[in-house]
Amino acid sequence: MEKCMVAVFLFILLLVGSCTMKVVDLTWEHSSSTIYWPGNPAFNFTILQRANLTNYWYESNWFASPEHGGTHLDAPAHFFEGGWRAQEIPAERLIGPAVVLDVTSQAEADPDYRVTQSDFEAYERKHGRIPHGAIVIMNSGWGSRYPSKTLSFNTDQPGTPSTFHFPGYHEDAISWLLTNRNVSMVGVDTPSVDYGQSTDFKVHVILGSKNIPGLENVARLELIPQKGATIFVGSIKLFDGSGGPARILATFDPYEKPCDCVSIGSKIERPYSHRTLLECHGQAS
């Protein structure tokens, strides 16, 4: 336990104290331009008070938003009965090493592209085994389309889901990932982890059945490395919620080259790596 506490303390000092540590906001702002799936009510923001009072300035507002819009988290209960609801997601699932799958060229050639097992295998050949507790996110280049509904859903009829064309994951690839690797979350830079033409949302169902939260409309993935960043997901702890808006941040040292010498089955040779923290939580093997 003492070793674990020292590891956590030194990891925090590394993040906060490093003069080279870069922080990237992977979140689109929540506003009237936020993209929601058709059928959801619109974002609402009402100013209750903005005024100079007797001795101070005072602001207070009221807002309302569907859970699933803009940059947000899908709790497992979203598509699986009995899955974790928002407040039940363990805190350790909200932080993890980033695994960014670059499929921009595939998505450019085919807007209905779905990430395959081969994409995961190609990533591992280049960067080493997907680490325990990883937050895996597809980068299809779709972030450049946000917040245009017609561009994000890739249709002239953004109110009609059957016309949607955007990338996501193939259900077979997700089944392989969850069977063979221990990940904390799976995300995308598109409106859904399922591709636009999906009608059965199998990826949502598979993730929910394994209590794996999803992240959608993740922003600015081109600003972080495919390997070497740590992702923090600040999601609303909404009682009984099936998800909610999230503030997602990534940190990394832009001057440090990720160690690609980590072969399958080997350990990261940094004294207080993210793996060390996961070992403290009993997740690494």
Side-chain angles (χ1 to χ4, degrees):
M1 177 60 70
E2 182 177 351
K3 177 183 176 182
C4 292
M5 293 303 295
V6 171
V8 172
F9 178 71
L10 290 179
F11 184 71
I12 293 173
L13 284 181
L14 174 65
L15 290 179
V16 176
S18 173
C19 61
T20 62
M21 191 60 62
K22 185 172 183 178
V23 180
V24 177
D25 192 344
L26 303 180
T27 315
W28 300 117
E29 67 177 25
H30 239 63
S31 69
S32 59
S33 65
T34 294
I35 292 178
Y36 297 99
W37 201 262
N40 282 289
F43 177 80
N44 186 298
F45 184 88
T46 302
I47 297 174
L48 299 180
Q49 189 165 14
R50 289 186 183 181
N52 275 305
L53 302 184
T54 305
N55 297 311
Y56 52 85
W57 174 265
Y58 182 75
E59 290 193 15
S60 181
N61 311 295
W62 178 88
F63 75 93
S65 171
E67 295 171 320
H68 304 279
T71 303
H72 69 280
L73 176 144
D74 285 353
H78 185 35
F79 269 80
F80 190 79
E81 185 177 10
W84 287 332
R85 291 197 169 101
Q87 84 281 6
E88 297 174 316
I89 299 171
E92 57 265 27
R93 290 293 188 96
L94 303 177
I95 175 176
V99 168
V100 181
L101 294 171
D102 184 356
V103 295
T104 52
S105 60
Q106 295 95 315
E108 184 176 357
D110 178 11
D112 292 320
Y113 185 75
R114 290 186 282 176
V115 171
T116 66
Q117 177 181 334
S118 297
D119 292 315
F120 291 126
E121 293 171 341
Y123 178 93
E124 292 194 330
R125 284 194 297 272
K126 183 176 181 180
H127 299 291
R129 186 182 178 93
I130 293 171
H132 289 259
I135 295 179
V136 178
I137 305 181
M138 176 194 78
N139 177 19
S140 65
W142 228 249
S144 63
R145 298 169 176 251
Y146 197 94
S148 167
K149 289 183 181 180
T150 56
L151 292 178
S152 292
F153 291 126
N154 196 24
T155 175
D156 292 330
Q157 304 175 61
T160 307
S162 63
T163 66
F164 293 176
H165 294 277
F166 56 78
Y169 291 95
H170 194 285
E171 60 268 20
D172 292 344
I174 289 298
S175 293
W176 178 88
L177 178 68
L178 301 191
T179 299
N180 295 281
R181 302 292 182 266
N182 180 7
V183 303
S184 287
M185 288 191 184
V186 172
V188 290
D189 60 346
T190 59
S192 173
V193 291
D194 283 282
Y195 81 131
Q197 283 289 289
S198 177
T199 58
D200 49 18
F201 304 100
K202 288 183 179 179
V203 173
H204 275 91
V205 174
I206 294 170
L207 291 175
S209 71
K210 301 297 184 181
N211 270 333
I212 302 296
L215 299 172
E216 294 170 335
N217 292 313
V218 182
R220 307 180 189 90
L221 289 168
E222 72 279 2
L223 300 182
I224 68 172
Q226 291 180 276
K227 174 185 177 179
T230 299
I231 290 180
F232 302 81
V233 179
S235 63
I236 184 171
K237 197 172 183 179
L238 180 64
F239 178 76
D240 246 12
S242 69
R247 184 73 179 268
I248 305 175
L249 304 175
T251 64
F252 64 97
D253 186 343
Y255 300 104
E256 179 179 87
K257 181 180 180 181
C259 178
D260 288 334
C261 60
V262 182
S263 60
I264 293 179
S266 67
K267 289 189 176 182
I268 299 173
E269 296 183 357
R270 293 184 64 177
Y272 293 106
S273 65
H274 186 83
R275 184 183 180 86
T276 305
L277 296 180
L278 291 173
E279 288 173 339
C280 294
H281 289 291
Q283 293 183 6
S285 59

